[in-house]
Amino acid sequence: MSHRKDLSAMLRPAGGGVYVVSTGLKEQQALQKVIYQADTAEDINKAWLGTLDSALQHQQDEPKTSQLLLLGVPSDTGAGFTRGANLAPAVIRSYLLQHEPDHPLLGQHCYDIGDVRVVPQLLSDDMLNQEQKQATAQVLYGQESVTMQATLQDLPVAPLDICDFALSQFKQEEQKSALTPIVIGGDHSVAWPAFKVAHERWEQSGKARLGLLHFDAHTDLLSERLGIKYCFATWAWHANQLLGADGRLVQVGIRASGRDQEHWEKTCNLRQVWANEVQERGALAVAQEIIERFEALGVTALYVSNDIDGTDSAFASATGTPEPNGLTPEQVDEITYLVGQRFPLVGADLVEVAPPLSRAEGEPERTLKTASIYLRTLANLALNRQAIF
Ligand SMILES: [Mn+2]
């Protein structure tokens, strides 16, 4: 199996992507024991590798019904204000196991391939010099157990690049009903590799034309921020560029921006439905407009990027940059569902859930509940989608 060893060195068993030595280790192991129904680190590892192999094998087999690929990216190095989204992949899984045992992400149709192994001081490989890259690669991949296809210095070491590498191993074009990746962040920078791989796989190969549906309080449309190319505030700009800035990015829930709607729609050639417009027109009318827009632009497949702060902070305040006057979970879910019913979902991410940031009574459970609703809808859309070919 081509990249199995590479992958097993770059990823960790589910809930284990945050590197811990002492503090946090107990919690991590307790969760993994439940996820993998195993008692020892060795058995946990074995069970995880079994899932990884099954996911890789899935691609070799005859086309079958669409299945899910779940990847956690526990990195919040790309965030801006308050942090804590690095704990979301572990805490969300833990919440689902406790409260939603029938959740599709826990079911037999989902390959949970674990977490990106995160070096918490790193974000993107393009920010590193050769010396740093080499030093980290040596630690991560230098052991004798790894026989890499690439040479050591070619291997990704930062979370965004590992995410890109990992998802790229699951994008064989010949497959008729492919695995649908669902990425749990992490801050919103992780949407960049997740969307980029979906774009390479479906659009660059000529198989589909993507529409990008993006829920957020913020536009994330800076071309760079403080000189940083890829972070929480820039990923949508880069994604829009990938699409050719031809109108196929639709942002919903915007309400915290230094510029007004007209500025963004004009300069980036996209559609922004600010939160107040959703309140005025209702989710159904907004969804219908998005569907008609995508149809007119020749869209044939959908990617959804859901920043939990697009949702009103009354329903999701455990996030790095919460904002009031936002969308209700019902509105987000209805728009996602309706657009996802019309266009097959080929990839999605849920980002910016930050469990340690509990600013209100009932948190972070309320935010986790909201997140679980979104993940359920995304998973069901992906599982039920029509073949694209
Ligand atoms: Mn965002």
Side-chain angles (χ1 to χ4, degrees):
M1 217 153 284
S2 60
H3 285 292
R4 198 269 215 174
K5 284 206 164 179
D6 305 28
L7 275 177
S8 63
M10 289 174 194
L11 306 180
R12 294 288 91 188
V18 176
Y19 179 74
V20 289
V21 178
S22 50
T23 303
L25 187 61
K26 238 187 207 160
E27 291 92 327
Q28 216 173 64
Q29 287 172 339
L31 171 61
Q32 291 183 326
K33 281 179 184 177
V34 181
I35 291 175
Y36 294 104
Q37 297 176 4
D39 274 333
T40 65
E42 200 187 345
D43 286 345
I44 287 167
N45 219 46
K46 224 168 116 187
W48 163 61
L49 289 174
T51 306
L52 193 56
D53 285 341
S54 300
L56 288 163
Q57 185 61 42
H58 178 92
Q59 309 186 98
Q60 322 289 326
D61 295 344
E62 284 298 295
K64 54 183 87 164
T65 52
S66 169
Q67 299 214 18
L68 302 168
L69 187 78
L70 175 61
L71 177 66
V73 189
S75 164
D76 55 17
T77 310
F81 184 41
T82 49
R83 292 171 195 272
N86 65 329
L87 294 183
V91 176
I92 287 175
R93 287 188 183 98
S94 178
Y95 180 88
L96 297 182
L97 283 163
Q98 278 179 46
H99 301 281
E100 317 241 348
D102 69 333
H103 199 284
L105 288 187
L106 301 177
Q108 55 172 339
H109 298 297
C110 179
Y111 298 109
D112 184 346
I113 59 167
D115 288 349
V116 165
R117 188 178 181 183
V118 171
V119 178
Q121 284 71 32
L122 306 184
L123 177 60
S124 171
D125 280 2
D126 71 351
M127 298 165 78
L128 306 176
N129 64 21
Q130 269 311 316
E131 195 184 358
Q132 180 62 65
K133 240 194 122 194
Q134 179 82 26
T136 304
Q138 188 63 43
V139 176
L140 296 183
Y141 315 126
Q143 281 79 28
E144 75 296 330
S145 61
V146 183
T147 55
M148 295 293 180
Q149 307 258 322
T151 55
L152 210 55
Q153 62 263 31
D154 296 328
L155 293 168
V157 296
L160 299 188
D161 297 80
I162 292 179
C163 177
D164 184 328
F165 182 97
L167 293 175
S168 294
Q169 307 315 308
F170 296 91
K171 63 174 190 190
Q172 268 77 352
E173 286 155 19
E174 63 274 13
Q175 199 191 351
K176 289 208 168 171
S177 22
L179 293 168
T180 305
I182 295 187
V183 170
I184 299 180
D187 70 76
H188 216 151
S189 64
V190 310
W192 167 244
F195 178 73
K196 176 171 159 278
V197 172
H199 185 268
E200 284 165 3
R201 172 190 190 170
W202 296 102
E203 187 148 332
Q204 283 179 21
S205 66
K207 298 279 194 290
R209 229 170 111 74
L210 295 183
L212 174 51
L213 174 59
H214 167 204
F215 295 96
D216 211 314
H218 315 90
T219 70
D220 299 359
L221 283 171
L222 300 177
S223 59
E224 52 83 27
R225 185 178 193 260
L226 302 172
I228 303 301
K229 191 172 179 188
Y230 301 115
C231 70
F232 78 122
T234 66
W235 77 272
W237 189 87
H238 293 289
N240 194 41
Q241 292 298 113
L242 261 191
L243 291 171
D246 64 359
R248 289 179 287 147
L249 169 56
V250 176
Q251 301 186 310
V252 183
I254 309 296
R255 58 193 181 280
S257 171
R259 304 282 198 137
D260 64 12
Q261 179 183 359
E262 195 189 351
H263 166 83
W264 295 116
E265 290 192 336
K266 270 198 177 145
T267 55
C268 298
N269 189 30
L270 45 76
R271 173 75 171 106
Q272 273 185 355
V273 188
W274 283 45
N276 61 340
E277 189 182 339
V278 181
Q279 309 306 358
E280 284 158 23
R281 296 173 57 202
L284 177 62
V286 169
Q288 280 169 342
E289 184 204 314
I290 296 169
I291 290 168
E292 282 163 23
R293 179 186 185 84
F294 281 166
E295 282 173 345
L297 291 167
V299 164
T300 58
L302 178 69
Y303 185 97
V304 175
S305 183
N306 188 337
D307 186 327
I308 199 86
D309 70 29
T311 304
D312 192 282
S313 53
F315 305 97
S317 66
T319 185
T321 51
E323 288 289 342
N325 306 316
L327 309 178
T328 65
E330 290 75 22
Q331 289 169 331
V332 174
D333 206 46
E334 186 177 354
I335 294 169
T336 303
Y337 177 77
L338 291 171
V339 180
Q341 284 280 89
R342 172 61 186 83
F343 303 100
L345 185 75
V346 295
D349 60 74
L350 177 73
V351 296
E352 299 287 358
V353 173
L357 301 177
S358 301
R359 297 176 170 88
E361 180 90 24
E363 290 285 14
E365 285 73 19
R366 198 179 305 116
T367 303
L368 293 168
K369 173 73 196 168
T370 303
S372 79
I373 293 168
Y374 298 159
L375 289 168
R376 184 182 289 274
T377 297
L378 291 169
N380 284 332
L381 284 171
L383 288 172
N384 297 328
R385 74 164 153 80
Q386 308 280 322
I388 300 177
F389 300 90

